[in-house]
Amino acid sequence: MSFGAPVAPAPQLVGSCTSGTTDRLAPADHCVQSAGNDGISSLRWSSTANHLLSTNWDGGVRCWEVQEQGGQIRALPKAQVNHEGNAPVLDCCMSPDGNTVFSVGADKAVRMWQLGQTPPNNVPQQIGSHDQPIKSVRFLKGTNMIVSGGYDKLLKFWDARQPNPVAQIQLPERVYDMDTSDSLMVVACAGRHILTYNVQGQPQEHERKESPLKYQSRCVAAFPDNTGYAVGSIEGRVGIQYATKVPGKESFAFKCHRDGNNVYAVNHIAFHKGYGTFCTVGADGIVNFWDKDNKQRLKGFPAIHRTITCAQFNAQGNMFAYASSYDWSKGSSHHAPNTPNEIFVHHVQDEEIKPKGKKSGYR
């Protein structure tokens, strides 16, 4: 695919792709150039090619073409658009064909960007809106609709060809995170509310419940087989929840991202589509790979000594992108203006992410 407007050279921050190999999971991990000048809020891969997207608090939506050969990785900056007024962008997703990007953020707009095209003023087309900032966006393959969730306590469903929402759902609280996998959609709200929906056709609420974790939900991810979801919280815990009954499987929770009495937020959870295993990344600068079915940690990487805000496996599962930037978990008093905002891509070894067999308990 050919892309439109190239990425303008970004002002280089201290440590931006200049840090040593101790600030990445493995020395060979590739540092992505032009990752932006403020916090990185989301990472997404295309399902049809190794195109990596990021959204940033600097208002940018960026795209790279990532190449891997023999375990060696390089990412080529391809294009960038910006939300109006450089308003912070909080999330993005792609259409199943990999041609269209949808993004949302503090400008309260749902925006659409056709890769390969340069929109007027380099601002993506607005296709929807909320009354408050929008936290999450996903594409629903079953209906070819876009769903957005905002701080206005609403889910809105959009057909990109129409100016008004096709449908909307009132929620009990603000949306903190949302994920979909085929017919399953799970929404994590403030107040520890979690709602699941069947989105194969017209959205139907399946269940609403209180999070199994005691404190604020931070992230949620749907299982690739659509049977449930994982939710992470600010208390360094993950809940594995089944939305449908699976023989021999029960919901449970476990502790992670803790060091003695220090407890860190679980910032993001992402599943490996091939094996159904998953990663957690945290405010402690640590990435862990887990196997929920056998209840074991597959791989614990050394801490990179910087908070990790988000991560994602590519469609093939052989590359893992993760972002290092300040996550505000310790408030404004701990924010350093020169904190690097970096994205790395790790070449995933099969032995790191493949289930190893039955063991009892997390370790």
Side-chain angles (χ1 to χ4, degrees):
M1 174 185 291
S2 60
F3 289 83
V7 174
Q12 202 78 357
L13 293 180
V14 173
S16 182
C17 280
T18 62
S19 55
T21 56
T22 59
D23 287 326
R24 58 196 77 185
L25 302 185
D29 289 1
H30 176 74
C31 186
V32 174
Q33 296 289 336
S34 305
N37 303 309
D38 208 336
I40 300 160
S41 53
S42 75
L43 294 171
R44 295 284 179 262
W45 291 90
S46 166
S47 60
T48 59
N50 283 322
H51 297 148
L52 176 65
L53 295 170
S54 78
T55 59
N56 289 62
W57 280 75
D58 65 6
V61 183
R62 296 169 171 84
C63 182
W64 295 265
E65 181 181 354
V66 185
Q67 301 171 349
E68 183 273 328
Q69 186 172 12
Q72 298 298 309
I73 293 172
R74 66 172 184 163
L76 307 174
K78 286 297 181 181
Q80 176 183 337
V81 292
N82 290 77
H83 276 219
E84 192 169 10
N86 291 326
V89 190
L90 302 180
D91 198 15
C92 69
C93 66
M94 295 190 79
S95 59
D97 61 11
N99 292 328
T100 310
V101 178
F102 302 94
S103 54
V104 297
D107 60 356
K108 309 173 188 177
V110 181
R111 297 189 179 274
M112 178 176 71
W113 171 31
Q114 299 284 349
L115 288 178
Q117 299 179 16
T118 303
N121 301 316
N122 210 38
V123 175
Q125 175 189 351
Q126 181 173 339
I127 63 166
S129 66
H130 284 243
D131 292 334
Q132 295 292 331
I134 310 172
K135 182 60 172 65
S136 297
V137 64
R138 292 292 182 271
F139 190 94
L140 302 177
K141 292 189 288 186
T143 56
N144 288 324
M145 287 194 297
I146 302 96
V147 57
S148 54
Y151 291 160
D152 56 1
K153 306 178 186 179
L154 288 174
L155 287 177
K156 292 189 177 184
F157 299 82
W158 308 93
D159 181 329
R161 301 164 296 183
Q162 300 179 22
N164 297 314
V166 175
Q168 69 177 38
I169 296 174
Q170 181 71 48
L171 297 169
E173 256 292 358
R174 294 154 290 161
V175 173
Y176 280 168
D177 199 15
M178 177 172 67
D179 197 23
T180 59
S181 178
D182 293 331
S183 61
L184 173 67
M185 178 171 71
V186 56
V187 184
C189 297
R192 296 171 55 238
H193 299 282
I194 298 181
L195 299 93
T196 53
Y197 297 87
N198 183 329
V199 289
Q200 187 62 43
Q202 182 178 349
Q204 298 289 331
E205 184 177 317
H206 172 73
E207 183 182 39
R208 64 173 62 196
K209 63 187 299 182
E210 191 175 75
S211 169
L213 311 178
K214 294 181 180 179
Y215 295 96
Q216 176 185 308
S217 301
R218 184 81 161 180
C219 54
V220 70
F223 298 170
D225 64 3
N226 316 323
T227 59
Y229 56 90
V231 56
S233 72
I234 62 171
E235 77 210 71
R237 286 176 71 92
V238 169
I240 301 296
Q241 295 289 296
Y242 287 91
T244 59
K245 289 188 177 181
V246 178
K249 301 295 182 185
E250 297 290 341
S251 299
F252 64 95
F254 65 95
K255 298 177 182 179
C256 55
H257 299 280
R258 298 182 176 207
D259 181 14
N261 293 325
N262 296 319
V263 178
Y264 301 90
V266 180
N267 285 334
H268 195 83
I269 299 171
F271 278 88
H272 187 281
K273 297 297 190 292
Y275 291 128
T277 48
F278 66 99
C279 78
T280 60
V281 303
D284 55 356
I286 287 178
V287 172
N288 290 313
F289 290 171
W290 306 93
D291 177 2
K292 66 177 176 59
D293 295 326
N294 292 312
K295 295 186 177 180
Q296 62 178 304
R297 185 170 67 175
L298 299 170
K299 177 75 175 181
F301 291 91
I304 67 169
H305 307 296
R306 286 195 232 144
T307 56
I308 302 176
T309 53
C310 50
Q312 206 74 33
F313 293 98
N314 69 337
Q316 294 76 25
N318 66 327
M319 287 190 282
F320 174 73
Y322 58 100
S324 166
S325 60
Y326 187 53
D327 64 356
W328 298 94
S329 59
K330 293 185 177 180
S332 59
S333 61
H334 284 75
H335 177 249
N338 289 329
T339 299
N341 303 290
E342 297 180 330
I343 299 172
F344 297 95
V345 182
H346 173 75
H347 180 245
V348 180
Q349 304 291 328
D350 220 37
E351 58 268 22
E352 293 176 337
I353 196 63
K354 185 178 179 179
K356 292 181 170 65
K358 184 69 175 176
K359 288 188 179 180
S360 60
Y362 274 78
R363 56 180 178 82

